[in-house]
Amino acid sequence: SQTIHQWPATLVQPVGSPLSLECTVEGTSNPNLYWYRQAAGRGLQLLFYSVGIGQISSEVPQNLSASRPQDRQFILSSKKLLLSDSGFYLCAWSVLGVNTEAFFGQGTRLTVV
Amino acid sequence: GENVEQHPSTLSVQEGDSAVIKCTYSDSASNYFPWYKQELGKRPQLIIDIRSNVGEKKDQRIAVTLNKTAKHFSLHITETQPEDSAVYFCAALVSGGSYIPTFGRGTSLIVHP
């Protein structure tokens, strides 16, 4: 069966520090991978998506970047965090098919102090 | 790109009442409309979906309706229970195209016992 792992679950980082959130998927090949940010009252905002290794598309200009070094690994990074980067980050995956359900990771609660 | 509007942002009902959440979308090419439920502190999970070739789908106490002409779809929950309290997200995507779900901003449903 397919599973998705995202870590860490919570993170408190000082302003200006780097960030690395990791997400891995098991049990499927060549998934679409997504990073969403959930801020209060703003729903699920798509940050990045990837349809294959090394292929990253950014939906919004920001202080973050993403990479996909392996087929089932998706990493969200920042060189210098801003206070406004605080939020709940969700990794998700889906596969091409008739029913394109998105499966979410457990999420990372990031607080920038 | 696709734009999904969701209303209301918050919905408070008494146990046993019905709840309706409405969404509109902009891209006429969208043909798959999933609904996700996110309980407090947890990841969003698919609860029901509908494809563009049907107008209504029901699963026990929840149902979804779709009006392709008007580009809107709705989630209906009957006989609400306290455990229905959560944030609900609608989404729209082109299944067969980019497969990238665009989410609404979410509705916080509170069911009072």
Side-chain angles (χ1 to χ4, degrees):
Chain A
S1 62
Q2 302 95 341
T3 56
I4 179 169
H5 302 280
Q6 181 182 344
W7 68 92
T10 60
L11 191 59
V12 180
Q13 291 284 100
V15 168
S17 64
L19 172 74
S20 181
L21 303 181
E22 189 164 345
C23 174
T24 59
V25 180
E26 297 177 357
T28 187
S29 296
N30 197 31
N32 279 10
L33 295 172
Y34 314 91
W35 278 109
Y36 286 90
R37 176 167 57 199
Q38 185 174 16
R42 297 190 62 185
L44 293 169
Q45 181 186 31
L46 180 64
L47 302 176
F48 301 95
Y49 69 92
S50 171
V51 298
I53 296 174
Q55 300 178 59
I56 308 294
S57 296
S58 175
E59 288 295 295
V60 293
Q62 59 209 314
N63 185 41
L64 303 168
S65 62
S67 62
R68 184 171 178 173
Q70 300 180 44
D71 180 44
R72 288 169 285 183
Q73 183 185 27
F74 206 23
I75 298 172
L76 182 68
S77 304
S78 174
K79 292 183 179 178
K80 288 185 179 182
L81 283 169
L82 306 172
L83 286 174
S84 57
D85 291 324
S86 294
F88 189 55
Y89 291 83
L90 287 158
C91 177
W93 69 272
S94 67
V95 293
L96 308 187
V98 176
N99 293 319
T100 318
E101 178 178 355
F103 297 90
F104 288 87
Q106 67 172 0
T108 298
R109 175 71 60 189
L110 172 66
T111 304
V112 182
V113 296
Chain B
E2 176 65 276
N3 181 48
V4 177
E5 299 286 338
Q6 182 173 348
H7 300 279
S9 57
T10 59
L11 180 58
S12 184
V13 301
Q14 289 296 128
E15 183 177 1
D17 288 350
S18 295
V20 180
I21 302 171
K22 299 181 179 181
C23 290
T24 61
Y25 61 98
S26 61
D27 189 349
S28 57
S30 290
N31 58 3
Y32 178 65
F33 307 92
W35 286 86
Y36 292 81
K37 176 183 180 182
Q38 184 181 28
E39 297 177 352
L40 188 64
K42 298 186 177 180
R43 71 189 80 186
Q45 293 189 296
L46 181 75
I47 55 171
I48 194 168
D49 56 16
I50 190 167
R51 301 198 65 82
S52 59
N53 58 349
V54 298
E56 183 174 0
K57 183 176 179 180
K58 190 173 182 179
D59 183 3
Q60 297 183 340
R61 294 187 298 108
I62 60 173
V64 58
T65 58
L66 170 66
N67 183 327
K68 283 218 73 177
T69 303
K71 293 188 208 166
H72 66 71
F73 55 113
S74 301
L75 177 72
H76 304 254
I77 306 174
T78 58
E79 301 173 26
T80 54
Q81 301 168 2
E83 51 265 38
D84 293 329
S85 297
V87 177
Y88 291 81
F89 293 97
C90 63
L93 69 156
V94 181
S95 184
S98 62
Y99 291 92
I100 300 169
T102 300
F103 288 90
R105 289 197 170 190
T107 296
S108 178
L109 173 64
I110 302 169
V111 180
H112 299 281

